[in-house]
Amino acid sequence: MPDKKDYYEVLGVTKDASEKDIKSAYRKLAMKYHPDRSDASDAEERFKEISEAYAVLSDPEKRQKYDQFGHAGISGQYSQEDIFRGVNFEDLLRGFGFGGGESIFDMFFGGSRGRGPARGRDLRYDVNLTLEQAASGLEMTIDVPRTETCSTCSGSGAKPGTSPVVCSACRGTGQMTRAQNTPFGQIVASTTCNKCKGRGQIITSPCSDCAGTGRARKTRKINIKIPAGVEDGQHLKLRGQGDAASMGGEAGDLYVVINVMPHPRFQRQDSDLFIEMPISITQAALGAELEVPTLNGRARIRVPAGTQTGSVFRLRGKGMPRLQGLGSGDLHVKVRVKTPSALTERQRQLMEALAAEFGEKKRPSSEKEKSIIDKIVDEVKSAVQ
């Protein structure tokens, strides 16, 4: 996935391009890079690239997943054949003088869809983790519904004691070919055999357990290991753990997609964590030692006297572990000075005295009030010293 180009860039369109713009861009590039027309050394690869980009961006569902998750949203949910399913390349390329949809599949799957066993479907399984679980990593067992090779007929689709017979229509190739004369010469096109559906064989006595498909639906328990430091949206690829293929083909892959749930206190950015801590006015003014939560217990920070609201203190190595054991990020503690409310009479007098000392409030006029305030100020000064 990382080495794939952006699909919009491949077609030369913007992300808000209309369906008509995408179709027009594809036809123009297909005419330029189709291997039947272009002499460029990379023509086939370029044609594969633009065809895949069009197959995704022309489908509203696939385009939405690509816009949200990038290439991971496509390869994690669709097999290569699924990406192209439903796209009528023959109509798109009609009149260009070269083959249509079948030639696209020839390039991607090493021949026509009816030739040889198709690969099994890739599967996606979502796992929800807390931030603490993502930090520590864990091993778990998941139940994955998937298609497996039928144990009764060993995948042949035939009733035990019987065998499939060679298709008389395609003689076991799974394909029907036809020649078509065009102004550019004769074009030979291959299509899937309608009689055997590309299998090359006919099952006269189907297996009762799988109804002749050679596959059965089962739920399989699979053990997975999620590494410490995994991020939201990342996935694990388990090769061969997807759906089984028909006719002995390669099984698909299983993509385990990680969803890290929001934490009530911590915010995450890459391997760093952020938390906001309230402190009192006196703690901010006089300084204090605070105890702050981390993902692995508690830690202490020293808040110096005169700390302002919004100040940030960093605890090195107290963030999330980095993948591949490359240390840990930092924990950033942002302090917020909390204004007291619902003061007692004594607290109100102290605050008024402090305000007067700082010149924020006029001094009282009566000797009695002055005496009370002076006494409180002396107490405050004594506490500060």
Side-chain angles (χ1 to χ4, degrees), residues 196-209:
C196 68
K197 308 301 180 185
R199 292 175 62 98
Q201 298 175 326
I202 300 294
I203 299 173
T204 55
S205 300
C207 170
S208 58
D209 287 349

Side-chain angles (χ1 to χ4, degrees), residues 127-138:
V127 172
N128 294 326
L129 301 180
T130 64
L131 189 63
E132 288 84 357
Q133 289 174 322
S136 63
L138 73 159

Side-chain angles (χ1 to χ4, degrees), residues 194-346:
N194 290 327
K195 187 174 182 179
C196 68
K197 308 301 180 185
R199 292 175 62 98
Q201 298 175 326
I202 300 294
I203 299 173
T204 55
S205 300
C207 170
S208 58
D209 287 349
C210 66
T213 64
R215 294 176 291 174
R217 196 73 176 169
K218 292 186 178 180
T219 297
R220 181 68 61 183
K221 291 186 179 296
I222 299 175
N223 294 322
I224 61 173
K225 185 175 182 179
I226 299 175
V230 67
E231 294 188 36
D232 183 62
Q234 291 185 325
H235 69 265
L236 309 174
K237 180 180 179 181
L238 280 66
R239 189 173 298 278
Q241 295 291 351
D243 276 348
S246 61
M247 299 186 294
E250 180 185 1
D253 300 327
L254 172 64
Y255 290 84
V256 180
V257 180
I258 306 300
N259 302 313
V260 181
M261 297 180 291
H263 195 277
R265 298 202 68 179
F266 295 106
Q267 297 293 323
R268 180 181 183 179
Q269 184 176 329
D270 298 326
S271 60
D272 287 347
L273 293 177
F274 298 81
I275 189 172
E276 187 174 276
M277 290 290 294
I279 61 174
S280 67
I281 288 178
T282 54
Q283 288 175 317
L286 305 177
E289 192 173 86
L290 298 181
E291 192 176 64
V292 297
T294 73
L295 288 178
N296 300 304
R298 292 185 170 273
R300 302 186 75 84
I301 60 172
R302 178 68 188 174
V303 177
T307 294
Q308 302 297 309
T309 190
S311 298
V312 177
F313 301 88
R314 180 169 64 174
L315 292 172
R316 294 185 181 275
K318 295 297 185 180
M320 293 290 292
R322 298 187 180 96
L323 290 173
Q324 288 87 42
L326 301 176
S328 297
D330 301 328
L331 173 62
H332 302 263
V333 183
K334 182 178 182 180
V335 298
R336 173 175 51 84
V337 179
K338 185 179 179 181
T339 303
S341 58
L343 297 173
T344 65
E345 181 61 24
R346 171 71 173 169

Side-chain angles (χ1 to χ4, degrees), residues 97-114:
F98 42 69
E102 290 297 325
S103 62
I104 303 287
F105 281 89
D106 287 350
M107 292 178 193
F108 277 91
F109 307 116
S112 170
R113 283 168 286 181

Side-chain angles (χ1 to χ4, degrees), residues 1-14:
M1 288 183 292
D3 58 349
K4 280 193 174 184
K5 293 182 181 177
D6 178 77
Y7 286 146
Y8 293 98
E9 181 182 340
V10 168
L11 293 181
V13 296
T14 59

